[in-house]
Amino acid sequence: MAEGDRIQVSPSGFVKSRSGTGSRSRRMIIIAAAWISLLLLAGGVALDRVLTNAVSDNFDDQMEYVLTAMIASSEIGHDGEIRLNRPLGDQRFLEPNSGLYYQISGKGKEPWPSRSLWDRTLQVDYSHAATAPHFRNSDEFSGEPLRIVERAIVLPDSDTRWIFMVAASRESLDAQITELRTVLSTAFAVLAFGLIILAALQTFYGLWPLRDVRREIDAMRSGKPHRLHDALTDEVMPMVNELNALLDHNEKQAEEARRHAGNLAHALKTPLTVIMNSATAQAPDLAETVIREATTMRRQGDHHLARARAVGRRGHSHSRAEVWQSLESVERAVGRLYRHIRLDMAGSKDLAVRVERQDLAEMLGNLLENAAKYGGGSVFVTGEDAGDMVRILIEDDGRGIPEAERARIFDRGVRLDTSKPGTGLGMAIVRDVAEIYNGSIELDESEDMGGLLVRLQLPKAISCRL
């Protein structure tokens, strides 16, 4: 699958890809490259500063060592002039323009320069003379930048404030820093390039299983397999399993829709044939025939519409209905139709089922209406917690249903008592809707009331109200 594509599953169950907004591989690589570059740049700047300061400090320490040696070797002669009682060890002080110089200056005194200065003199600022070593850069020699350390000392037997100065060419220091920065820049550039290539390879091979998924989906669209292949990486398998589960769900819904359409067409075929035959024969009871058969067609339509609504809502994992609230609502409606009926309820009021509220109300309405219609005047409803299920018991004090007839009562259009109005679809609707939600319904004999006991079980909601 291209990283910039999205997967879309059509209602018919076919999976198709839809172009997204840009390549995810490219985004990941760009983000990784930017982050790597930023980190290496910050690290390189910090490392450059540390190493540059280390080289500069080492250079300054050598100059300060020479300055200390000068001060230790200095003395005042009989003429009041300063001199060194022993030569400094570095031969560059004896070579003209060697790049290493010293000079001792006193206000009103002749300066004492190194031979390497030859005919040049270091500039002295007596107003800024400090007793501690002071480092500064100077460009007073044309074409030769200098690094100077100076310190003011008052020697014994002298009232003069002598300025000791050591100067060295910065060319060697700048060359070292330039070489250091070149090595650092090259090393960090190679490291950044290698890390970006590594990130690109990881992205490419990490997303490779998605390309396998895309090939599988393309093969599905061409009609070869019906499911994604299972031999994929562990990281992709959860998505593949979810896609396969979605395909199963969509195929099941599509198959149920086709079955409902076929059942409805078959159910409507006979009434339409009867109406057409009566109309063709100009039967005298045509009006009664049309009314009777239209009523049958309406019942069939209501039945299949109820199933279709339940199937359409079944996929909602967050479906939730409060059992007690639905019972109270249905009880009020049934009580208005059958005012002679006494309806009692018991059980936990905190029960909730993973069913759409409208579907729960339709199931309870059919069951309670049947209990009120065919019972002896009393109906008792109990709600129970049965682990992963919620059990709703509906009992009446009527004649009940013989055990041999209990299975047949769920067939469409079957009515055991034709003396009272009805369509014969109520129990079939309850069974079909309950099964759609992975529930069940059973009929039994009520031990306490002697009539029919309906045991309706529905899956419990994920979280119940406390």
Side-chain angles (χ1 to χ4, degrees):
M1 178 185 300
E3 297 76 8
D5 291 349
R6 290 196 295 268
I7 296 175
Q8 181 180 2
V9 182
S10 64
S12 61
F14 292 101
V15 181
K16 57 184 180 180
S17 61
R18 185 161 59 89
S19 178
T21 56
S23 169
R24 281 155 179 76
S25 293
R26 184 166 59 249
R27 291 183 188 177
M28 294 172 65
I29 294 173
I30 291 175
I31 292 173
W35 186 242
I36 289 171
S37 301
L38 179 62
L39 291 179
L40 290 182
L41 178 61
V45 170
L47 186 60
D48 172 77
R49 179 167 297 182
V50 170
L51 295 179
T52 300
N53 289 340
V55 172
S56 300
D57 291 344
N58 182 64
F59 191 82
D60 291 345
D61 290 343
Q62 293 179 11
M63 293 177 60
E64 186 176 0
Y65 175 79
V66 174
L67 180 66
T68 302
M70 283 178 56
I71 295 173
S73 303
S74 300
E75 62 180 15
I76 302 298
H78 297 291
D79 55 358
E81 297 294 335
I82 193 169
R83 61 174 57 87
L84 299 179
N85 56 24
R86 62 179 180 271
L88 299 178
D90 198 322
Q91 289 297 114
R92 287 178 294 174
F93 287 120
L94 303 177
E95 300 174 5
N97 302 320
S98 64
L100 184 61
Y101 319 102
Y102 72 78
Q103 179 177 296
I104 305 173
S105 304
K107 196 169 184 179
K109 304 290 186 177
E110 287 292 328
W112 179 274
S114 64
R115 185 176 297 179
S116 57
L117 279 173
W118 196 245
D119 59 349
R120 295 180 295 184
T121 303
L122 295 174
Q123 297 177 3
V124 182
D125 186 357
Y126 293 101
S127 62
H128 290 86
T131 57
H134 171 66
F135 294 89
R136 59 184 176 88
N137 294 324
S138 174
D139 295 321
E140 56 192 85
F141 289 176
S142 178
E144 187 180 13
L146 299 176
R147 179 71 171 168
I148 299 175
V149 57
E150 56 188 9
R151 183 179 179 184
I153 297 292
V154 178
L155 296 175
D157 301 328
S158 176
D159 296 331
T160 304
R161 191 178 186 87
W162 300 97
I163 306 299
F164 289 78
M165 305 172 65
V166 176
S169 174
R170 291 205 316 268
E171 292 180 354
S172 60
L173 175 62
D174 293 342
Q176 291 182 47
I177 293 176
T178 300
E179 183 179 2
L180 174 65
R181 287 176 174 171
T182 300
V183 173
L184 279 178
S185 300
T186 303
F188 274 78
V190 172
L191 180 60
F193 180 76
L195 290 176
I196 292 173
I197 293 298
L198 178 61
L201 291 176
Q202 286 182 331
T203 301
F204 181 78
Y205 286 106
L207 295 178
W208 187 262
L210 296 180
R211 296 179 175 87
D212 294 335
V213 174
R214 180 185 181 181
R215 285 193 292 270
E216 294 279 347
I217 293 175
D218 288 340
M220 288 174 56
R221 294 177 64 187
S222 63
K224 294 180 181 177
H226 296 284
R227 293 294 180 274
L228 298 181
H229 196 264
D230 293 337
L232 295 171
T233 61
D234 294 339
E235 292 78 9
V236 179
M237 279 309 301
M239 180 187 71
V240 172
N241 293 335
E242 291 297 327
L243 282 174
N244 286 334
L246 181 60
L247 290 171
D248 291 336
H249 173 74
N250 286 344
E251 283 190 1
K252 187 175 181 180
Q253 283 194 324
E255 180 60 29
E256 288 180 350
R258 287 192 293 269
R259 186 171 64 251
H260 294 331
N263 291 339
L264 181 59
H266 179 74
L268 297 179
K269 181 178 179 181
T270 299
L272 288 174
T273 301
V274 172
I275 293 175
M276 289 182 64
N277 291 338
S278 298
T280 302
Q282 297 182 356
D285 59 344
L286 177 60
E288 292 80 359
T289 301
V290 171
I291 293 174
R292 183 181 68 252
E293 298 302 327
T295 302
T296 301
M297 288 189 291
R298 185 180 64 184
R299 292 200 306 263
Q300 296 292 342
D302 292 341
H303 170 69
H304 287 283
L305 283 175
R307 284 185 57 90
R309 286 195 300 269
V311 170
R313 291 191 287 256
R314 178 183 55 186
H316 297 279
S317 60
H318 299 292
S319 298
R320 179 185 176 87
E322 303 289 341
V323 174
W324 197 264
Q325 293 179 5
S326 297
L327 283 173
E328 289 180 336
S329 176
V330 173
E331 186 269 339
R332 288 192 295 269
V334 173
R336 286 193 293 268
L337 293 176
Y338 303 91
R339 298 185 181 276
H340 66 285
I341 295 298
R342 175 183 174 182
L343 196 153
D344 298 315
M345 297 184 296
S348 175
K349 297 183 179 181
D350 300 331
L351 298 176
V353 293
R354 197 164 62 247
V355 177
E356 285 293 325
R357 182 177 54 84
Q358 300 92 326
D359 295 331
L360 178 61
E362 184 170 9
M363 288 186 287
L364 294 177
N366 283 324
L367 295 177
L368 290 179
E369 184 178 359
N370 284 343
K373 183 189 300 183
Y374 299 107
S378 296
V379 179
F380 193 80
V381 182
T382 307
E384 300 176 347
D385 189 336
D388 294 336
M389 307 292 287
V390 171
R391 184 181 298 117
I392 302 173
L393 306 177
I394 301 176
E395 304 174 77
D396 63 60
D397 58 348
R399 292 181 300 175
I401 298 177
E403 185 175 356
E405 301 290 338
R406 291 172 187 166
R408 196 168 66 91
I409 196 65
F410 292 108
D411 295 338
R412 292 192 298 271
V414 173
R415 298 174 59 205
L416 301 182
D417 187 355
T418 58
S419 63
K420 297 182 180 180
T423 63
L425 293 173
M427 297 299 289
I429 291 175
V430 174
R431 181 200 58 186
D432 292 344
V433 174
E435 290 179 351
I436 286 172
Y437 285 103
N438 297 321
S440 64
I441 182 172
E442 299 175 357
L443 302 182
D444 205 343
E445 182 180 352
S446 174
E447 296 181 359
D448 297 331
M449 303 183 68
L452 182 67
L453 167 64
V454 179
R455 188 179 295 107
L456 176 64
Q457 293 196 125
L458 297 171
K460 186 165 59 176
I462 296 176
S463 59
C464 292
R465 185 181 59 187
L466 298 177

